[in-house]
């Protein structure tokens, strides 16, 4: 996936179910019968991939939740998003 | 024509009573031990069994293994195909199942009945907040330990060591875990693998610990993170964990369990030392 822009809107794939458990999340990808465990930041990103919120806003929200500088956070989130897309957990919302 | 005439048999399994319509008692096999006399109650789940009516009207599974299964998961029902039976299971309300059998199923009936009931118990348990776990469970008079993992992980071996040590074995293959007013308990169900369950001991016990078995040269207990514990449980919550319509409910049940019961990885070698490890850890937690 090319590096997502701040305007990119992502949504959780239809076959994904997840549940936050303290500072991690359990994720099930039903189509592949896969279970995964995500760390706190990846879980926070996944929770916000709601098909409405642009990636830039997600980063702003996470900036307030995690004590980390903006540049590092943007890099981390970009990397997590790429991994989430590659794992089939989120997909880009198509433009109307 | 029904396999066993028009009689009804009632079984007390996890989640309540089951009414099995159309079976003769010998067809129950080891499920006989769950048979109850008396009324089944208004909330009983019902399973009707009948011989094939019209050849070709229903599909069956075409594999050489008599006990292979294929399940088609749908929002409010299941379609289960076996090599000598097919079943439609309605899940919108108390479970209702209709099983149609090929004549060639007759000598295999105890195995077929048990396999069908395993699926149905898994769904009923999940709907009531618990899970049917591919696991072994053994305990003393006060508490039980549950060890789980894939086939060959060591469940029957652990059960045999536990039985040799004087503990009661609920089952070495399938156990129901359920939340009884805030206390997670394991309940005996008559589904067993190779280690015969012991007859003594209570039908249900509070769960002291749940452990995922990992074969190892050494012996140790390692706490799993709550999310890893829930994921591990999910992977062994058989049948329902492949159902896209109900994995969300199952995940909720698993996370509910891990909030009360620690889930550990039990690195296990084939000797009974793991029993001291489990009881010692549980005693220490009880004191804490």
């Amino acid at each position: 996936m090319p590096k997502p822009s701040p305007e990119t809107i992502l949504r959780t794939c239809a076959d994904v179910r997840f549940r936050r458990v303290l500072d991690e999340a359990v994720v099930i990808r039903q189509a592949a019968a896969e279970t995964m465990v995500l760390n706190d930041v990846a879980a926070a990103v996944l929770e916000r991939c709601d098909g409405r919120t642009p990636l830039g806003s997600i980063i702003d929200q996470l900036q307030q939740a995690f004590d980390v500088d903006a540049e590092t956070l943007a890099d981390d989130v970009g990397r997590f998003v790429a991994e989430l897309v590659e794992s089939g957990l989120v997909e880009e919302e198509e433009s109307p | 024509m029904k396999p066993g005439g028009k009689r009804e048999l009632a079984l007390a399994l996890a989640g309540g009573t089951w009414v099995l319509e159309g079976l003769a008692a010998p067809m129950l096999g080891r499920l006989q031990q769950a048979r109850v006399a008396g009324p089944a109650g208004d909330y009983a789940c019902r399973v009707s069994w009948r011989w094939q009516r019209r050849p070709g009207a229903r599909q069956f599974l075409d594999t050489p293994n008599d006990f292979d299964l294929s399940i088609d998961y749908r929002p409010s029902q299941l379609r289960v195909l076996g090599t000598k039976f097919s079943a439609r299971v309605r899940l919108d309300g108390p479970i209702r199942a209709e099983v149609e059998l090929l004549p060639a199923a007759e000598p295999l009936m105890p195995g077929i009945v048990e396999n069908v009931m395993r699926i149905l118990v898994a769904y009923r348990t999940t709907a009531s907040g618990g899970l049917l776990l591919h696991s072994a469970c053994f305990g003393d008079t006060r508490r039980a330990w549950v060890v789980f993992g894939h086939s060959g992980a060591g469940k029957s071996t652990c059960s045999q060591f536990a039985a040799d040590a004087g503990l009661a074995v609920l089952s070495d293959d399938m156990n129901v875990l359920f939340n009884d007013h805030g206390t997670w308990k394991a309940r005996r169900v008559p589904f067993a693998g190779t280690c015969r369950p012991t007859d003594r001991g209570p039908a249900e016990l509070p769960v002291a610990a749940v452990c995922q078995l990992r074969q190892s040269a050494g012996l140790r207990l390692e706490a799993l993170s709550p999310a890893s514990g829930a994921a591990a449980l999910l992977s062994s919550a058989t049948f329902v964990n492949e159902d896209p319509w109900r994995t969300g409910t199952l995940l909720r049940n698993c996370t509910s369990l891990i909030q009360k019961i620690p889930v550990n990885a039990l690195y296990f070698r084939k000797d009974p030392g793991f029993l001291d490890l489990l009881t010692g850890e549980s005693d220490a937690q009880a004191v804490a």
Side-chain angles (χ1 to χ4, degrees), chain A residues 18-34:
Chain A
F18 71 97
R19 193 168 177 86
R20 172 71 86 154
V21 187
L22 300 178
D23 57 355
E24 294 178 310
V26 186
V27 184
I28 307 167
R29 195 157 76 85
Q30 294 172 328
E34 276 180 358

Side-chain angles (χ1 to χ4, degrees), chain B residues 8-27:
Chain B
E8 288 185 348
L9 302 170
L11 295 184
L13 295 171
T17 311
W18 295 82
V19 175
L20 277 60
E21 182 188 44
L23 284 185
M27 294 174 175

